[in-house]
Amino acid sequence: MPRRRFNLILLALLALPISAEAKKNKAAEPDYGPTLPAAPSPASSNGAIFQIGHYSPLTSGARASRVGDIITITLVERTSATKSTSATTGRNGSIGLSPPVSGPLSFFNAGDVNISGDQSFNGKGETAQSNALFGELSVTVASVYPNGNMLVKGEKALTLNRGDENVQFTGIVRPADISIDNRVLSTRVAAARIFYTGKGEIARASQQGWLQRFFSKMSPF
């Protein structure tokens, strides 16, 4: 009976960090679903050519500018970072006293009062990291700000032989950065959030098991 109770307690402790982390990720995940365009307002019968809400300048062409329009994000993310440090220190010293040859301290030998010390340190550290992401993802305009900038969001889900791939994107696009074919480089997007995740046997093979993750978090070493 005590052993069974211990097993139940251990399973409960193992489930706590996993469930808490899953709940945190689910709460922080924004909505990447497509934004549908709003229904056009009925045209007023005032006889004017210019109507608010139905105007599009000739210079903009077919560029996306309204809620629900589609923009293609060209992913050209590449980051690289390197860092190296080194330090070397050294210190030595010695003290020597000559005892008197006469008097009450004459019984000391010269070798008994010699003190010397030596200290040295040599440390070195290096780190390097690089990431790259290329591809294209079409998103929709979710909101248009007063200055013309647009909040875009979208996702792409791929089901392959050995698993699923999911790409999610959100950020703020400037109209001047949109090309004539409605493409924007991801490096031109402000406050960009890009998530590339995968599920399946390939993704599981590259991750630690749940028990190993638990002991990795609990281990003090």
Side-chain angles (χ1 to χ4, degrees), residues 97-175:
L97 298 177
S98 299
V101 296
S102 62
L105 299 179
S106 59
F107 61 89
F108 280 104
N109 294 324
D112 296 337
V113 291
N114 286 333
I115 301 176
S116 63
D118 189 6
Q119 179 181 354
S120 63
F121 170 78
N122 187 4
K124 184 179 181 180
E126 294 182 359
T127 180
Q129 182 178 0
S130 62
N131 300 279
L133 179 62
F134 300 98
E136 288 187 340
L137 170 67
S138 293
V139 298
T140 56
V141 178
S143 178
V144 180
Y145 298 116
N147 61 351
N149 293 342
M150 295 169 287
L151 173 65
V152 299
K153 63 178 182 178
E155 62 180 347
K156 177 188 290 186
L158 303 175
T159 300
L160 306 175
N161 291 338
R162 299 298 182 180
D164 301 334
E165 303 292 335
N166 192 21
V167 184
Q168 297 174 330
F169 185 92
T170 182
I172 300 175
V173 174
R174 190 177 62 165

Side-chain angles (χ1 to χ4, degrees), residues 145-212:
Y145 298 116
N147 61 351
N149 293 342
M150 295 169 287
L151 173 65
V152 299
K153 63 178 182 178
E155 62 180 347
K156 177 188 290 186
L158 303 175
T159 300
L160 306 175
N161 291 338
R162 299 298 182 180
D164 301 334
E165 303 292 335
N166 192 21
V167 184
Q168 297 174 330
F169 185 92
T170 182
I172 300 175
V173 174
R174 190 177 62 165
D177 295 327
I178 303 176
S179 63
I180 58 175
D181 57 351
N182 280 327
R183 276 181 166 80
V184 179
L185 298 177
S186 61
T187 53
R188 294 285 186 176
V189 180
R193 294 171 60 90
I194 307 173
F195 295 95
Y196 183 88
T197 57
K199 295 181 181 180
E201 60 183 60
I202 303 300
R204 288 194 301 268
S206 62
Q207 296 178 354
Q208 292 182 340
W210 60 271
L211 186 59
Q212 189 174 3

Side-chain angles (χ1 to χ4, degrees), residues 19-111:
S19 61
E21 183 176 358
K23 184 182 295 185
K24 180 180 178 181
N25 293 337
K26 185 176 181 180
E29 183 179 354
D31 180 23
Y32 292 96
T35 301
L36 301 178
S41 57
S44 58
S45 58
N46 54 8
I49 297 176
F50 174 79
Q51 300 292 336
I52 299 177
H54 298 270
Y55 171 74
S56 178
L58 296 177
T59 55
S60 65
R63 289 185 177 91
S65 59
R66 299 178 182 177
V67 174
D69 289 349
I70 297 177
I71 297 177
T72 299
I73 304 296
T74 303
L75 301 174
V76 288
E77 297 296 323
R78 182 188 295 272
T79 59
S80 178
T82 59
K83 181 180 180 180
S84 63
T85 60
S86 61
T88 303
T89 61
R91 183 175 63 183
N92 56 57
S94 62
I95 299 176
L97 298 177
S98 299
V101 296
S102 62
L105 299 179
S106 59
F107 61 89
F108 280 104
N109 294 324

